[in-house]
Amino acid sequence: MQNIKLDKAYGQHILVSKGVLEKIVSELEIEENDTVVEVGGGTGNLTKELLKTPLKKLTVLEIDPKMIKLLEEIEDERLEVLKEDASKFDYCSAGESIKVTGNLPYNVGSLILERIVECHRCINLAVLMLQKEVSEKIVMDKSPHWLAIYVNTFFDTEYVMSVPARFFVPRPKVDGGVIKLRKKENIEEINLKKYKKFLLRIFSERRKKLKKKISEEILLKAGIDPNLRVENLSLEDFIRLYNVLEGER
Ligand code: SAH
């Protein structure tokens, strides 16, 4: 690796395991006509691996000017490097049907995931490295979290693998976890702002019974026992309850 100073504030932990880089790329199922967006190109480890595939176009988002300079040294006509904040980027500006990947900066990993949900319309598949704890939360192995419901409403999620901290330079405090998001086929039209607000509300004070947050009448109408708590609800329950609530407005 080049002699470059890595910046903690930008969550710069370079993934140095060739095997893991290859696995991320293979999980993206890249075909000839694909447009791929990579989040946080850094020194270009994953970028170079992606460029070995027959993809049509690779757009790399990076926030740090010194990393952008490095990325721009990679010679490939298919590569475009943009100085963008990946938590605010309009992913649909890259293409109508794209794939997203990246070894995400952990400090803004959840914000980037939220942005990916907001842009789900044009994202078919995403393979992302996040901190293991967040990745596990998203695939809903543990008690649900609002962001997991938010993501799983639009994408089928799968845990690909854990990646030990020693595979990164400098070594982060926590292990990583790779997840794969595949857009669902029949997605409901949902107002994302309202849906997020609804989820945050229902997940607040999670030990309280649902009837303390939403009227019993609405809960019964959605076929949900008002004495349950948020952790008892299934993904379908959340969507049904949201639709009943919206229908009542
Ligand atoms: N993909 C590289 C580097 C990953 S480290 C590798 O695995 O080798 C995460 C990268 O994301 C860093 O280069 C950091 O500068 C960049 N980054 C941090 N915050 C960002 C943001 N908000 N938007 C885009 N890139 C960001």
Side-chain angles (χ1 to χ4, degrees):
M1 199 173 47
Q2 294 93 334
N3 227 347
I4 183 153
K5 193 176 167 295
L6 294 167
D7 207 327
K8 241 188 172 172
Y10 285 135
Q12 289 171 348
H13 296 278
I14 307 304
L15 178 56
V16 291
S17 158
K18 181 100 175 130
V20 178
L21 290 164
E22 284 171 355
K23 175 73 175 163
I24 290 174
V25 174
S26 89
E27 290 290 333
L28 264 180
E29 306 168 18
I30 292 178
E31 291 169 16
E32 271 177 22
N33 271 321
D34 281 346
T35 296
V36 177
V37 173
E38 187 199 341
V39 173
T43 58
N45 280 6
L46 182 58
T47 314
K48 287 175 197 152
E49 209 54 48
L50 286 163
L51 287 170
K52 289 182 188 164
T53 71
L55 57 74
K56 193 172 82 187
K57 191 175 166 219
L58 176 61
T59 299
V60 180
L61 313 179
E62 180 51 66
I63 206 162
D64 181 350
K66 94 179 163 289
M67 292 301 187
I68 291 176
K69 238 180 113 196
L70 276 183
L71 291 163
E72 283 175 344
E73 282 170 17
I74 303 173
E75 282 184 33
D76 195 304
E77 281 178 356
R78 300 168 297 166
L79 175 66
E80 169 187 52
V81 182
L82 300 180
K83 182 171 191 316
E84 288 279 352
D85 179 341
S87 65
K88 302 200 170 97
F89 181 65
D90 173 12
Y91 288 81
C92 299
S93 69
E96 283 174 8
S97 160
I98 63 168
K99 293 178 176 173
V100 178
T101 191
N103 166 22
L104 303 193
Y106 291 167
N107 48 356
V108 285
S110 297
L111 283 179
I112 293 171
L113 257 183
E114 260 191 63
R115 189 70 192 135
I116 285 174
V117 171
E118 285 164 10
C119 298
H120 69 265
R121 189 170 54 76
C122 58
I123 301 176
N124 283 341
L125 194 72
V127 178
L128 309 169
M129 171 87 72
L130 290 141
Q131 65 190 82
K132 188 177 174 192
E133 190 200 331
V134 176
S135 284
E136 284 176 345
K137 224 159 49 181
I138 298 303
V139 296
M140 302 209 289
D141 275 355
K142 300 203 172 134
S143 71
H145 182 272
W146 84 267
L147 185 55
I149 302 298
Y150 199 48
V151 172
N152 281 273
T153 300
F154 305 98
F155 295 95
D156 289 318
T157 61
E158 185 191 327
Y159 193 81
V160 176
M161 64 169 160
S162 300
V163 182
R166 66 185 150 82
F167 286 0
F168 300 84
V169 174
R171 188 180 175 140
K173 288 203 181 75
V174 293
D175 291 342
V178 178
I179 52 170
K180 182 162 171 171
L181 318 179
R182 190 186 300 276
K183 188 162 67 196
K184 292 188 173 176
E185 295 208 339
N186 300 309
I187 294 180
E188 299 198 39
E189 280 290 326
I190 288 185
N191 177 315
L192 288 165
K193 266 199 188 132
K194 285 187 185 169
Y195 188 51
K196 176 181 168 182
K197 224 169 133 187
F198 157 77
L199 291 176
L200 288 174
R201 170 169 153 214
I202 198 167
F203 273 96
S204 68
E205 303 180 81
R206 44 190 307 157
R207 290 186 37 222
K208 277 196 179 163
K209 290 180 177 170
L210 291 170
K211 65 181 180 190
K212 299 274 180 200
K213 304 176 209 180
I214 288 170
S215 82
E216 288 199 37
E217 190 194 336
I218 301 250
L219 288 163
L220 290 172
K221 204 165 167 188
I224 294 168
D225 177 351
N227 287 310
L228 292 180
R229 294 181 172 81
V230 68
E231 65 253 30
N232 305 118
L233 299 185
S234 68
L235 178 62
E236 291 70 31
D237 288 334
F238 285 102
I239 299 171
R240 213 172 50 253
L241 180 55
Y242 171 77
N243 283 328
V244 170
L245 254 174
E246 277 306 299
E248 294 290 315
R249 276 180 209 275

